[in-house]
Amino acid sequence: MDTTIETGARVGLLRCYLLDTRCELLRLLREPMYIIPTLLFPALFYVMFGLLLGSRGSGEAARYLLATYGVFGAMGAGLFGFSVTLAIDRERGFFALRRALPAPPSAWLVARMLIAMLFALAIVLELALLAVAFGGVSLAAGQWALLWTVTVLGALPFCAIGLLLGSVASANAAPAWVNLLFLPMAFLSGLWLPLAMLPDVFARLAPLWPAWHLAQIALGVTGQPATTSPWLHLLVLAVVTVACCVLALRRLARAV
């Protein structure tokens, strides 16, 4: 009897998480201002800079930017998927309502992380299709799988950053704060073009940005020269994720 009850409780808990994920996905699918830029911009920029302009060189640009624009897409999915909607929900009293519902307190957080990772996967798959079909990029099956894994899981640090921004910014200010962080970080991390093409000061400051650390891992997977150990980059990303989550959840707990 106890085993049956325990199994039923686990099934019910899983169903709560699945329902929350479904609701969050439907919510975002009804927001064209999120869907279109998140899915279109990385592919559009990759076509322009990785395929059209890169076709004049040796083709290495297509390989390099395949990794970095995947990171760019994961950044956008994580930052925008959390910050703006969270700020809106906070101002509307969503979290006070959640406390009265018979649902796991963490269901909304898990659901939004899963959705951000799903969008990151969609982005990296469309980039891979473009790279193979028009860029002549060829990777081993293991490299493809590892690149997709790195990019999808790499959305999590930016989910955490978006969570922190959404916990402190107002609904009106959140989009501006995200763009103020998102675009400069992408440029200064070498996602749009190699840092070797910029003044040396940008390369020295690049380790300050989480996106640079994720890009170094992704570039290493595609066969680009490694700067430092991937474990160091993973450690930095883990610290950023945990620190932002802890600060954001404490802020949200006080705000309810």
Side-chain angles (χ1 to χ4, degrees):
M1 180 65 70
D2 291 342
T3 304
T4 303
I5 294 174
E6 185 177 348
T7 302
R10 289 178 179 175
V11 171
L13 185 63
L14 177 61
R15 185 169 181 270
C16 287
Y17 282 102
L18 292 176
L19 286 174
D20 250 308
T21 303
R22 177 178 178 271
C23 290
E24 286 296 330
L25 179 59
L26 289 175
R27 176 186 186 180
L28 290 178
L29 290 176
R30 292 168 181 166
E31 294 288 345
M33 293 305 293
Y34 173 79
I35 295 293
I36 295 174
T38 301
L39 295 180
L40 182 61
F41 283 178
L44 180 62
F45 291 156
Y46 182 66
V47 169
M48 292 173 58
F49 299 108
L51 301 181
L52 297 181
L53 297 180
S55 63
R56 301 178 183 178
S58 62
E60 282 302 307
R63 181 187 294 263
Y64 179 95
L65 294 177
L66 169 65
T68 59
Y69 275 118
V71 174
F72 179 70
M75 283 178 61
L79 288 173
F80 287 99
F82 262 84
S83 58
V84 180
T85 56
L86 177 59
I88 293 172
D89 288 343
R90 202 183 80 249
E91 291 191 354
R92 291 178 177 176
F94 170 79
F95 294 100
L97 176 62
R98 289 283 308 189
R99 288 195 169 187
L101 296 177
S106 62
W108 68 271
L109 179 62
V110 173
R112 295 187 191 195
M113 288 192 298
L114 290 175
I115 296 303
M117 293 166 67
L118 178 63
F119 275 92
L121 178 61
I123 292 165
V124 75
L125 289 178
E126 66 180 358
L127 291 179
L129 181 61
L130 291 170
V132 172
F134 304 106
V137 174
S138 177
L139 299 176
Q143 287 179 296
W144 282 117
L146 189 55
L147 177 62
W148 298 340
T149 302
V150 165
T151 306
V152 170
L153 295 179
L156 293 178
F158 303 102
C159 289
I161 296 172
L163 180 69
L164 181 58
L165 288 175
S167 70
V168 298
S170 67
N172 291 329
W177 280 111
V178 174
N179 279 306
L180 191 62
L181 176 66
F182 176 49
L183 298 178
M185 187 192 299
F187 177 75
L188 296 173
S189 299
L191 303 188
W192 293 351
L193 71 167
L195 290 172
M197 301 175 63
L198 300 175
D200 186 57
V201 64
F202 292 107
R204 290 200 300 267
L205 294 176
L208 297 175
W209 306 105
W212 179 81
H213 292 278
L214 181 58
Q216 296 308 302
I217 299 174
L219 287 169
V221 169
T222 61
Q224 305 290 326
T227 53
T228 54
S229 168
W231 295 108
L232 176 61
H233 301 306
L234 286 171
L235 176 62
V236 171
L237 293 171
V239 169
V240 169
T241 303
V242 173
C244 289
C245 280
V246 169
L247 292 173
L249 294 176
R250 284 184 177 178
R251 165 73 179 179
L252 292 173
R254 290 196 302 267
V256 175

